[in-house]
Amino acid sequence: MTTTSNRIATDVERGASFSFTVDGQDVEAYPGETIAGAMLAAGRRVARRTAWRAEPRGAFCFMGVCHDCRMVVDGVPNVRTCLTPVRAGMVVETQPGFGPAPSFGAPEEGQR
Amino acid sequence: MNTVPVVVVGGGPAGITAAVEASRAGARVLLIDEGPAVGGQIYRQVASELRRRSGADGYAAESAPLFASLAASGLEVWNDAEVWGVFPDRMLAIHRGGRSLRLQASALVLATGAYDRPVAFPGWTLPGVVTAGGTTALIKSQRIVPGRRVLLTGTGPLLLAAAAALVRGGAEIAGIAVAASRTAFLGLVRRPGAIGKALDVLATLKRGGASMSYGYGIVRVEGRDAVEGAVIAEWDSSWRAVRGTERTVEADTVVIGYGLVPSSELAQLAGCEVTYNAGQGGWVPVAAPDRFMATSVPGVFVAGDGAGVAGAEAGKLQGVLAGIGAARHAGKLDDRDAAARAKQPLRDLAKMSSFRAALERMHAPQPGLFELAADDTIVCRCEEVTAGDVRQAVSDGARLVTEVRAATRCGMGLCQGRMCVPTVAGLIERHTGVPVGNTGRLTARPPVRPLPVTALAEEAER
């Protein structure tokens, strides 16, 4: 019964895999996944380090409420990775504290 | 200003039935949902990019007629759209596709759902501790399980639904610690209408070799950078750990499901009167089924778990009533026609009252839940305020959640207090005897969901 992958493969077919990076390392993802989903499937759980205690945090509510899964995505801080679809070539980084100061550019499509 | 006769916020079961009902009555309806597809959390659909190979699961079968009725109605649906504010005269501010826009609703139905009750215990902020609702959402939409060896701990049917989804998804269940006694729990899930397939769920769990520990609850979660294990213990009826019964469980993931908290912030922004109802999860808008779920604000209706946690079946019926009420308010139904249409859903809702009362008893948090946090346990995940900080503020005289916030910053972060206020209120009650319902609430303020400042700037220029 125990699976070796966090991806359930018994009842769905996935499209072609692609990769994005988390802190510079390649991570595999499939169409239809969020950043947090693809990270969990790869066994990566830490999304950010808190501002004061530098404690690790990861996705908790998976519905955009808790804000603990926020990361720096293509340079934009505080992106809720549990809601944001993952795209090929995305550059995702563990967010330290409140994240780098934003550049005030328009967010990429799909970021929320 | 663009005016729409009926706007429904939230595409879960209650929102869908409300929208469909109002549309059937002849009103032009817009349904706004924050997800990529309708369904809400309970009927969250598998991502469109994943092709389902085999038959639908229980929830998919249950939700199919609902989605079909929505499609048949032809009403307009906006997905990936977040309502970030409600202003006077039912003016909505919406964030959609990186842009902010406003529109006016002649009648408004808020079906905003609920989220998992946050419970502060040592280790609850470690990556790998996840909510029951989040677990099922992740599995339903992405077909990904949050971990390999999972401990579940909590109260109600949602916890079991998460456990069954994990078993079917191939995860190993390290244990299921349920606060209720075996008799109380089985008595509830065996009632008709409890959760779709309650007995199927129990059978699935048995097949998966999952062991249920009734009358057990969480003590703490341990690990360095993520969950490595947890300690559970026998709980008495007030949810206090019985000394000497602690048991260590090896797990990489801990799912917590101690009930749900209604998302009533849009109703609060709209100015609706709210009341505290522990069994229904917290602050809920005052609304009655026999008044079409109308709130204290004319033209604003509520339905579903956001109107008080009662489950999908009750939510669908409330949605029908709210849809009738909204169509009536928009001038599409006269009083007689509205009353005739409301008859059957009112009757069906009344039939569910004893089940709902049992559910409420099971979900109402007991005092021990607010004694789990040690002084160094985080209560406010955003601002890193500890239970010790909150207790200090209370011993310094704070009796309202706003007073604790002023003293500690608890509730001032990005989640806007959703993750800490239930715990803060519980702590105030534990230490002072002031009932949770008298500890106040944080004022809901727009934006209730984060939106980029560029979206606002762009709207201003338009």
Side-chain angles (χ1 to χ4, degrees):
Chain A
M1 209 54 198
T2 307
T3 176
T4 51
S5 163
N6 288 359
R7 283 191 181 88
I8 303 167
T10 49
D11 58 357
V12 288
E13 271 173 48
R14 290 180 165 79
S17 72
F18 55 85
S19 68
F20 69 110
T21 66
V22 178
D23 295 337
Q25 291 181 335
D26 278 344
V27 174
E28 189 184 40
Y30 288 85
E33 294 179 349
T34 61
I35 299 169
M39 282 178 57
L40 267 184
R44 285 179 164 270
R45 295 158 173 261
V46 179
R48 66 184 192 102
R49 296 258 164 196
T50 60
W52 314 117
R53 300 173 159 219
E55 285 176 356
R57 294 286 172 81
F60 175 64
C61 80
F62 293 97
M63 47 184 82
V65 176
C66 77
H67 291 70
D68 253 335
C69 67
R70 59 191 200 263
M71 301 182 78
V72 183
V73 178
D74 293 333
V76 179
N78 297 316
V79 175
R80 285 174 291 171
T81 57
C82 77
L83 298 180
T84 305
V86 61
R87 310 253 181 252
M90 253 181 180
V91 177
V92 178
E93 294 158 283
T94 304
Q95 177 165 322
F98 303 109
S103 62
F104 292 105
E108 298 290 315
E109 196 178 335
Q111 283 174 357
R112 17 207 319 201
Chain B
M1 179 67 57
N2 191 3
T3 301
V4 179
V6 175
V7 177
V8 178
V9 181
I16 291 175
T17 58
V20 168
E21 192 66 23
S23 171
R24 271 185 193 147
R28 187 161 75 84
V29 182
L30 170 64
L31 174 62
I32 302 176
D33 185 55
E34 65 180 358
V38 294
Q41 302 303 342
I42 183 107
Y43 295 151
R44 218 199 254 219
Q45 304 187 58
V46 68
S48 58
E49 295 89 341
L50 298 180
R51 284 185 305 280
R52 208 173 249 293
R53 204 183 298 140
S54 56
D57 63 19
Y59 281 114
E62 206 178 292
S63 57
L66 204 61
F67 295 148
S69 69
L70 179 63
S73 76
L75 66 90
E76 191 176 359
V77 180
W78 287 0
N79 281 110
D80 288 319
E82 292 182 303
V83 175
W84 61 262
V86 181
F87 297 96
D89 299 322
R90 300 171 300 278
M91 189 182 71
L92 302 175
I94 301 153
H95 176 214
R96 189 189 188 204
R99 291 169 64 131
S100 177
L101 55 110
R102 273 152 225 241
L103 55 85
Q104 189 100 40
S106 304
L108 175 63
V109 179
L110 298 171
T112 45
Y115 61 94
D116 293 85
R117 171 180 294 284
V119 178
F121 52 80
W124 79 298
T125 53
L126 273 172
V129 178
V130 296
T131 63
T135 298
T136 54
L138 181 72
I139 294 173
K140 283 173 199 164
S141 61
Q142 303 183 48
R143 310 302 287 150
I144 290 171
V145 291
R148 306 263 169 83
R149 189 177 152 81
V150 186
L151 168 72
L152 298 102
T153 170
T155 46
L158 182 58
L159 189 73
L160 280 206
L166 285 162
V167 167
R168 285 194 296 264
E172 185 189 348
I173 305 295
I176 306 173
V178 175
S181 72
R182 189 168 189 277
T183 325
F185 193 83
L186 292 181
L188 182 77
V189 299
R190 282 183 179 148
R191 273 167 193 257
I195 39 170
K197 316 275 175 285
L199 294 179
D200 279 6
V201 166
L202 289 174
T204 302
L205 293 181
K206 204 168 174 187
R207 269 200 312 280
S211 71
M212 299 278 292
S213 303
Y214 295 102
Y216 267 78
I218 190 75
V219 174
R220 63 178 177 273
V221 171
E222 293 167 339
R224 256 185 79 80
D225 258 6
V227 175
E228 289 163 24
V231 175
I232 60 172
E234 205 178 315
W235 275 8
D236 65 18
S237 57
S238 45
W239 296 8
R240 291 188 170 96
V242 177
R243 202 179 282 273
T245 61
E246 289 86 358
R247 199 198 290 170
T248 302
V249 181
E250 210 179 292
D252 61 30
T253 300
V254 175
V255 173
I256 60 168
Y258 287 94
L260 302 173
V261 179
S263 296
S264 57
E265 51 279 344
L266 288 182
Q268 293 181 42
L269 273 186
C272 303
E273 188 190 331
V274 293
T275 179
Y276 186 80
N277 185 319
Q280 292 180 3
W283 292 96
V284 298
V286 176
D290 55 7
R291 292 187 54 245
F292 305 107
M293 299 303 290
T295 66
S296 63
V297 176
V300 179
F301 303 80
V302 289
D305 282 351
V309 175
E313 293 310 314
K316 287 178 204 170
L317 296 167
Q318 292 172 349
V320 170
L321 294 166
I324 296 168
R328 175 172 166 264
H329 188 86
K332 291 292 176 185
L333 290 177
D334 61 26
D335 289 358
R336 245 179 77 174
D337 197 359
R341 285 170 193 243
K343 223 172 216 171
Q344 191 59 43
L346 275 174
R347 215 175 283 149
D348 294 344
L349 204 53
K351 277 187 219 147
M352 301 180 65
S353 63
S354 85
F355 166 67
R356 286 175 58 194
L359 195 67
E360 287 178 14
R361 278 195 301 278
M362 181 167 292
H363 277 307
Q366 299 302 312
L369 199 67
F370 305 106
E371 295 167 12
L372 291 168
D375 275 345
D376 65 351
T377 302
I378 293 287
V379 168
C380 172
R381 298 172 74 102
C382 299
E383 295 292 327
E384 300 174 72
V385 179
T386 64
D389 297 333
V390 173
R391 288 178 179 125
Q392 184 61 52
V394 172
S395 84
D396 289 345
R399 295 295 180 269
L400 298 172
V401 293
T402 45
E403 291 170 350
V404 172
R405 179 185 59 186
T408 65
R409 295 191 60 82
C410 196
M412 294 182 78
L414 278 181
C415 88
Q416 300 185 317
R418 292 177 181 92
M419 288 294 122
C420 65
V421 166
T423 305
V424 172
L427 285 171
I428 294 173
E429 179 177 286
R430 286 313 302 136
H431 293 286
T432 66
V434 174
V436 168
N438 291 353
T439 61
R441 54 204 162 81
L442 303 189
T443 310
R445 288 186 207 287
V448 298
R449 287 284 196 268
L451 81 161
V453 99
T454 46
L456 275 181
E458 194 260 354
E459 187 187 4
E461 282 165 17
R462 218 161 43 226

